[in-house]
Amino acid sequence: MKKILVIALATLFATGCAKKAQKESVFEQYKNMSEQLDSKFQSAQTEQEADSIFNDFLNTSLDLIQQNPKTADAYQITKDIIPYFTLQQKELAFAALDIDSLEQYELLKYYQAFISEKNTSVGQQYLDFKSITPEGDTLALSQVIEANEYVLIDFWASWCRPCRELLPELIQLYNDCKGHLQILGVSQDESREDWINLIQNMQLPWLQVSDLTGWNNPACQMYGVTAIPCTVLINHEGKIIARGEHNINILRQLILQDNTTVE
């Protein structure tokens, strides 16, 4: 699953070879690194090795930002890579920039998303939202939390291949944790037909909502979601205990640890 995401990111970064001046700029160094990702991923023998390659790329990109603070190159690199940084990496990247200059470099929306993500990170209390079910009813997250021991918010969309790849595993998780877990799918779709068809075709058994406003979905913005799939696990006390976790075994352990023996 992670390998699919990583390879997709490599394709996104591969935008062609830049012309080199006598002295390569910092941003050109970054672009050259990104253009080498695809070949590195092709040579990876395992998913863990591919993850390691991508993590090294993220760390090196952050180093370039921190070593060249408040320069145009730092803003350009940040704009390109920020959706794929961890929360801690985002914090370090923005610390190297001038907050007052973010709008000039079209980074203000990413900074606002970072603040929202920070406010809904692990250890924080959930933020409530309301959205529309396929039947046209209004459903609040608080209603779902009150009725269930654990709630997993799944930010997804029918057009998102990694999201679709994750769905069979979520179905298994849902079945394994029946009686303890409810999943609330929050779709970034704009087409009602595509949204409903995928739910029906895959026979997704959990709750679904969407405002059909794409990335302008208020819940998506409230939780600072800039890449999907994105999961948020909330316990009955309303505390966020996992975010961005796609390892179904880890999620299963978090949910069942107080209820049954997990192998």
Side-chain angles (χ1 to χ4, degrees):
M1 171 61 200
K2 289 183 179 178
K3 193 168 184 179
I4 292 174
L5 284 168
V6 167
I7 292 172
L9 288 170
T11 303
L12 175 64
F13 290 135
T15 57
C17 294
K19 292 183 179 179
K20 292 185 179 180
Q22 282 188 330
K23 185 175 180 181
E24 194 174 54
S25 72
V26 174
F27 186 68
E28 285 173 332
Q29 291 177 43
Y30 163 78
K31 293 304 291 183
N32 288 336
M33 287 193 316
S34 69
E35 288 157 7
Q36 294 168 15
L37 274 178
D38 191 45
S39 61
K40 289 183 178 181
F41 289 139
Q42 294 298 327
S43 65
Q45 300 298 310
T46 65
E47 181 177 341
Q48 290 73 24
E49 188 177 346
D51 288 345
S52 178
I53 290 170
F54 190 63
N55 287 334
D56 286 345
F57 170 71
L58 293 178
N59 289 328
T60 304
S61 299
L62 179 59
D63 287 342
L64 289 175
I65 294 168
Q66 292 182 300
Q67 291 165 10
N68 301 274
K70 300 182 181 179
T71 63
D73 286 335
Y75 289 98
Q76 286 180 297
I77 295 171
T78 302
K79 182 181 176 182
D80 204 49
I81 196 67
I82 198 70
Y84 311 106
F85 273 165
T86 65
L87 183 63
Q88 183 180 18
Q89 288 171 327
K90 290 175 184 177
E91 187 152 24
L92 292 171
F94 282 120
L97 306 179
D98 181 358
I99 301 302
D100 292 335
S101 299
L102 294 180
E103 189 168 10
Q104 175 186 346
Y105 289 93
E106 300 180 342
L107 273 165
L108 184 58
K109 65 178 181 180
Y110 292 106
Y111 180 71
Q112 293 169 337
F114 157 69
I115 296 299
S116 295
E117 181 180 352
K118 191 174 181 178
N119 291 337
T120 54
S121 58
V122 173
Q124 300 296 320
Q125 287 295 116
Y126 81 98
L127 299 181
D128 198 16
F129 61 81
K130 296 179 180 179
S131 193
I132 309 301
T133 69
E135 295 75 27
D137 300 320
T138 299
L139 179 65
L141 173 59
S142 55
Q143 293 175 264
V144 185
I145 291 175
E146 288 171 6
N148 295 278
E149 190 174 351
Y150 290 89
V151 174
L152 182 73
I153 306 175
D154 175 34
F155 291 96
W156 72 293
S158 66
W159 46 260
C160 168
R161 180 180 174 184
C163 300
R164 297 196 303 270
E165 295 284 349
L166 183 63
L167 289 175
E169 296 187 66
L170 289 182
I171 291 173
Q172 185 63 55
L173 177 70
Y174 182 83
N175 291 332
D176 290 347
C177 300
K178 193 164 290 185
H180 304 293
L181 172 70
Q182 179 58 268
I183 299 177
L184 178 63
V186 180
S187 173
Q188 269 59 71
D189 276 289
E190 295 183 9
S191 166
R192 175 179 172 79
E193 182 179 3
D194 292 345
W195 176 47
I196 299 298
N197 284 346
L198 193 139
I199 293 172
Q200 294 176 343
N201 291 340
M202 293 201 68
Q203 299 181 333
L204 303 181
W206 52 80
L207 299 172
Q208 298 283 350
V209 293
S210 180
D211 289 349
L212 299 176
T213 54
W215 289 104
N216 292 319
N217 185 303
C220 177
Q221 295 181 341
M222 181 182 292
Y223 278 76
V225 176
T226 57
I228 53 176
C230 176
T231 60
V232 178
L233 182 62
I234 305 168
N235 65 17
H236 189 62
E237 288 71 41
K239 181 175 287 188
I240 296 171
I241 61 173
R243 177 177 172 130
E245 182 58 68
H246 298 143
N247 187 315
I248 301 304
N249 290 328
I250 292 176
L251 291 172
R252 186 186 295 111
Q253 289 173 352
L254 287 170
I255 295 164
L256 297 182
Q257 59 185 347
D258 297 325
N259 303 289
T260 188
T261 301
V262 181
E263 296 182 359

